[in-house]
Structure formats: C-alpha cells, structure tokens
Amino acid sequence: MMKIRTLLIAWLLMLPLAAQAELTIKITGGNVDAITIAIAPFEWEGGGTPPTAEFDRIISDDLQRSGEFKPSSRSDQPPAAPFGQPVNHATWRDRGINNLVTGKVTSVAGRYRVEFVLHDTAGGKQITKDTVYAATKDQRFAAHHVADLVYEALTGERGAFATRIAFVVANRRANSLQVSDSDGHGAKTILATNDPIMSPSWSPNGKKLAYVSFEGGQPAIYVQNVESGSRRKLTSFKGINGAPAWSPDGSRLAMTLSKDGDPEIYVMSAGGGGVQRITRSPGIDTEPSWSPDGNSLVFTSDRGGSPQIYRVSAAGGAPTRLTFEGIQLECFLCP
C-alpha cells in the first residue's frame, strides 16, 4: 500500500502558525530496495509563458516521499538526449539508474501540454508514454499527475500525488483547518477559530470537508465546501458529536454520537436528517469507516474489555469482531 496515501486525510497537530510558513513534508526513511530512477529536466517549447514549476524536481520529490523510489540528483545525471530522440540507455544504466523519465512542456491554446516517456534503462526499452494537459495555474498539479502515472507504471498501484490533504494547525492562541497539495505546497486556511477543530474528512469528490468544531464550547459536526467556504452545521446533539466519515458515494456520513447515552455509531444523510443508530452496547463505539461498497462499517469498540475492531452492516444489526490482539482489561468491579 502506498505510504503517501496516509496523507490523503492527514491530521497534523501542534504546528506553529507564525507567519503562515509553507508546510514542508519530509520523509526521512524509505525502502532499502527502493527503485532507482532519474527525472531529466523537462524541455520547454512554445511562445507562451514558460512554466514556473520545475517539473523534474516536483516529480522526483513526489517519488522520493513515497519511500519506494530513489531518484538521482541532477548532478549525477548524464546529459539527456533531446525529447523524442533515441535514449542511450547504457549511459544511464552505467550510473546505476535503472529507470528514466524524459519530458517536454508545450504551450497550447493557453494551456500546458506535458508529454513524458518512462524508460527502462536496465532493459533498454520504453515502458510507457503519456500526455497531461493543465491550465497555467495548475502546472504543479500536472507534475503531480505525471508522478502518479510513473508510480503506477512501476509499482502497479495508483499514485496519490495529485491529491490534497486537510490538516489542523493548533497553538495556544488559535486553530485553523487548512488544505494543501499532497506535498504541502499552496496551503490555504479553510476555517480559523479560537476553538478546537478535529477529524477533518474529505468527501469522495474532494469538494467538501466534514469536521468537528467546538465553537461555542460544544462539539458539532460541520460540512464545508472547500472552494466557496460555505458551510452548515450537520449535528450538534448533546454530548459527543465526532469522527465523521463519508460513505463511498458521498450520500451519507457515519459518526459517533452520545445523544442517547453511550457513544454509539450513527449514520445520517450528508444533507442532514435521517439519523439512524447502528450500534448498541454499554461500551464506547467510535471511529467508523466505510467498506468500499458502502454496505458495512468497521469501528473501534471496547465492548469486549479492550479496544478492538468490529464490523457491522450499514443498516445495523449484530457486529462481528475482527481483531483479538491486545491486553484485555480485567474487571474488578463487575457484579
């Protein structure tokens, strides 16, 4: 499983707000058997405005952050042949580089056309080639998209570089919910408040965020449009309102509520209303997550004496215990 996917809904706490510094995501460890690869500088062709993004550096950094690749630095690369010309694979192979990406950026009707070729220098062949189009303002997104295609071609898994992350920045004075590219670039504030913010969760189409905010001193679940900033309060029941999770089709949200006593799992329409209680136990049921088909939920519960993972139908019913690891809490006060 791609390591960077853990960033799709990242929750970064206790970071300083001073001067709104650019978020930097740095991976210091990786796979000892990482794939060697070089990203040659992309050529520019056209009469329009040259891109400000360094495509090769963005792609290289993306692949390195995954922990699965070991990109070479520019200084370790031999001169690359002009894009579209035959590549001397042996020259790169002799440098210990088994894969190579070459590319070209062209201005076409006010957009960038980004072409690239992925070479297997060890085998002396071309693996794949593709073209990505992007508006001028989305040139970094285009580079991330190329990194996704390269990652998938070499690992067999979809990349997640052309995605965004949501995270909470908190200090003693203020809290903010922010959104940025997967590499931390271009962070912008979605919500600023003096109250705690928790559990941001992306809608499947990436247009909305559900989160918990303690505005007014009480937890409530909000749904907010990322682009327009418009938002609405979805739940503000007495007690716990927490851990919102979108269904795969975006039509429903699972959450933890304690409005009827103990913390239980509930499901409701993403538009509000239709609250349905899913679990019933004297323990704590929390952190729901949907199955890919949307037919069931997995959640954490201490109903068996220690926190374990359970699965239940999204329509309710008897849960099935999935994990049995960990220390069971001995009950000294049970009747």
Side-chain angles (χ1 to χ4, degrees):
M1 184 63 65
M2 184 181 180
K3 295 177 180 61
I4 201 170
R5 285 180 181 166
T6 59
L7 296 175
L8 286 183
I9 310 177
W11 182 17
L12 307 180
L13 298 176
M14 305 308 291
L15 296 177
L17 283 171
Q20 292 294 314
E22 184 75 21
L23 173 67
T24 300
I25 298 173
K26 183 176 182 180
I27 307 298
T28 57
N31 188 345
V32 294
D33 298 320
I35 300 170
T36 59
I37 192 168
I39 315 299
F42 276 44
E43 300 174 16
W44 162 247
E45 178 182 290
T49 303
T52 57
E54 294 183 279
F55 281 73
D56 61 311
R57 293 194 184 278
I58 295 171
I59 297 167
S60 178
D61 289 345
D62 281 347
L63 296 175
Q64 185 172 35
R65 272 190 300 272
S66 75
E68 302 294 334
F69 288 83
K70 184 180 179 182
S72 67
S73 64
R74 284 181 177 177
S75 60
D76 293 333
Q77 297 178 13
F83 184 78
Q85 299 297 315
V87 171
N88 187 337
H89 295 111
T91 302
W92 297 85
R93 186 169 59 245
D94 291 345
R95 300 283 184 99
I97 300 169
N98 292 330
N99 298 277
L100 168 68
V101 175
T102 58
K104 180 175 70 173
V105 182
T106 308
S107 177
V108 179
R111 295 193 302 164
Y112 288 137
R113 181 178 66 201
V114 185
E115 304 170 80
F116 76 94
V117 177
L118 173 60
H119 304 266
D120 173 9
T121 60
K125 60 183 180 180
Q126 176 180 302
I127 297 176
T128 187
K129 63 178 180 179
D130 211 331
T131 303
V132 173
Y133 291 89
T136 302
K137 66 181 181 63
D138 296 326
Q139 55 189 277
R140 290 186 62 88
F141 174 84
H144 291 315
H145 192 182
V146 172
D148 283 340
L149 295 172
V150 171
Y151 185 95
E152 184 172 6
L154 292 176
T155 69
E157 296 185 10
R158 291 183 62 185
F161 305 114
T163 60
R164 293 179 293 176
I165 61 175
F167 55 96
V168 175
V169 177
N171 64 21
R172 296 178 180 178
R173 293 177 287 109
N175 302 280
S176 65
L177 175 60
Q178 299 190 17
V179 170
S180 76
D181 294 347
S182 66
D183 59 357
H185 183 85
K188 68 176 183 177
T189 298
I190 301 301
L191 173 69
T193 175
N194 293 326
D195 302 301
I197 308 170
M198 300 174 61
S199 306
S201 175
W202 286 101
S203 64
N205 63 9
K207 295 182 178 180
K208 298 177 181 179
L209 279 169
Y211 56 86
V212 178
S213 177
F214 283 73
E215 297 164 49
Q218 296 294 325
I221 296 176
Y222 292 81
V223 171
Q224 182 165 341
N225 185 293
V226 174
E227 297 303 323
S228 70
S230 63
R231 67 171 186 155
R232 69 179 186 279
K233 185 185 294 184
L234 196 66
T235 72
S236 56
F237 296 109
K238 180 180 179 180
I240 296 171
N241 296 260
W246 294 85
S247 63
D249 64 0
S251 66
R252 294 174 291 172
L253 280 163
M255 62 196 66
T256 298
L257 304 175
S258 64
K259 67 185 187 69
D260 298 321
D262 295 313
E264 306 283 358
I265 304 301
Y266 292 77
V267 170
M268 68 182 302
S269 166
V275 181
Q276 178 185 3
R277 183 171 173 174
I278 303 299
T279 64
R280 298 177 183 273
S281 80
I284 297 174
D285 297 344
T286 187
E287 300 298 332
S289 181
W290 294 84
S291 63
D293 61 10
N295 292 329
S296 61
L297 292 158
V298 295
F299 62 96
T300 301
S301 176
D302 66 351
R303 62 180 64 199
S306 68
Q308 300 291 339
I309 298 175
Y310 293 77
R311 180 177 60 219
V312 66
S313 168
T320 301
R321 184 170 172 173
L322 300 180
T323 63
F324 296 85
E325 299 292 332
I327 299 173
Q328 301 296 315
L329 300 180
E330 185 175 355
C331 181
F332 293 101
L333 301 177
C334 295

